[in-house]
Amino acid sequence: DENIDLQGEVEFLVAKYSNHVDDMVIDAPEIEGAIDLLRFLKQKKIKIILSSATPESNLKKIINRKGWDFYFDDIFGAPRSKNDTLLHVLKKYSISNRDIFVVGDGIDDRRSAESIRCDFIPVGGIELKPYELTSYSLAGVKSYIKIN
């Protein structure tokens, strides 16, 4: 049947494109200060939860291939929303919103933090510029954590 062949071809092309995008992300240089911040948080025994709009299976593949699994206590991606991830983390780790902070560069990060009334640390994102008075570098996040 022609429709079955077309559907199979579309699925093949989507998978090929997805793998290509994953490979590009894996090969991309680290955002300045990212590994240093992750090491700092690990040393402080702060749980690190990654929440992204990237599909979860792709996200886990990327993190694994970069060799960063060690840094993260949990990794969540689409289809779970960032709001749902935060609610899940609060429950799973039996913590309050005062024990959590969101580091992000997008308005969805800010809104997810607002949804549970936790601290939000904006980093460098162009998307946030109209909304935030202060935007930290990843190195600046360490200073924020030391102060608070």
Side-chain angles (χ1 to χ4, degrees):
D1 185 46
E2 196 172 301
N3 284 340
I4 294 172
D5 292 338
L6 181 59
Q7 182 178 348
E9 182 67 16
V10 168
E11 289 172 4
F12 170 78
L13 291 173
V14 167
K16 186 174 179 178
Y17 175 77
S18 179
N19 286 330
H20 177 70
V21 170
D22 289 349
D23 289 342
M24 288 176 39
V25 172
I26 290 162
D27 293 339
E30 168 202 337
I31 295 170
E32 187 178 335
I35 294 298
D36 187 48
L37 176 60
L38 291 171
R39 285 184 185 132
F40 170 80
L41 295 172
K42 264 304 187 207
Q43 285 178 334
K44 295 285 184 190
K45 298 192 182 343
I46 295 173
K47 289 202 178 302
I48 305 170
I49 314 297
L50 178 58
S51 180
S52 176
T54 300
E56 190 167 306
S57 60
N58 298 69
L59 186 60
K60 288 180 175 181
K61 172 184 162 186
I62 291 164
I63 295 301
N64 177 272
R65 295 235 337 248
K66 282 194 161 290
W68 293 351
D69 305 74
F70 162 80
Y71 295 112
F72 298 100
D73 295 281
D74 261 322
I75 298 172
F76 299 100
R80 187 189 299 251
S81 73
K82 292 182 180 186
N83 291 13
D84 288 345
T85 294
L86 287 174
L87 293 172
H88 175 76
V89 166
L90 289 171
K91 186 175 181 177
K92 178 177 180 176
Y93 293 102
S94 300
I95 57 176
S96 87
N97 61 337
R98 293 180 308 279
D99 299 321
I100 199 169
F101 59 90
V102 172
V103 177
D105 64 354
I107 195 69
D108 57 334
D109 300 308
R110 181 172 162 268
R111 288 186 178 142
S112 68
E114 288 173 351
S115 77
I116 65 160
R117 295 186 181 107
C118 73
D119 285 346
F120 174 65
I121 307 172
V123 291
I126 295 169
E127 187 179 328
L128 288 172
K129 293 298 184 204
Y131 303 98
E132 304 296 337
L133 297 175
T134 304
S135 184
Y136 296 86
S137 66
L138 288 179
V141 173
K142 291 193 324 191
S143 300
Y144 178 93
I145 293 167
K146 287 177 186 174
I147 292 167
N148 295 298

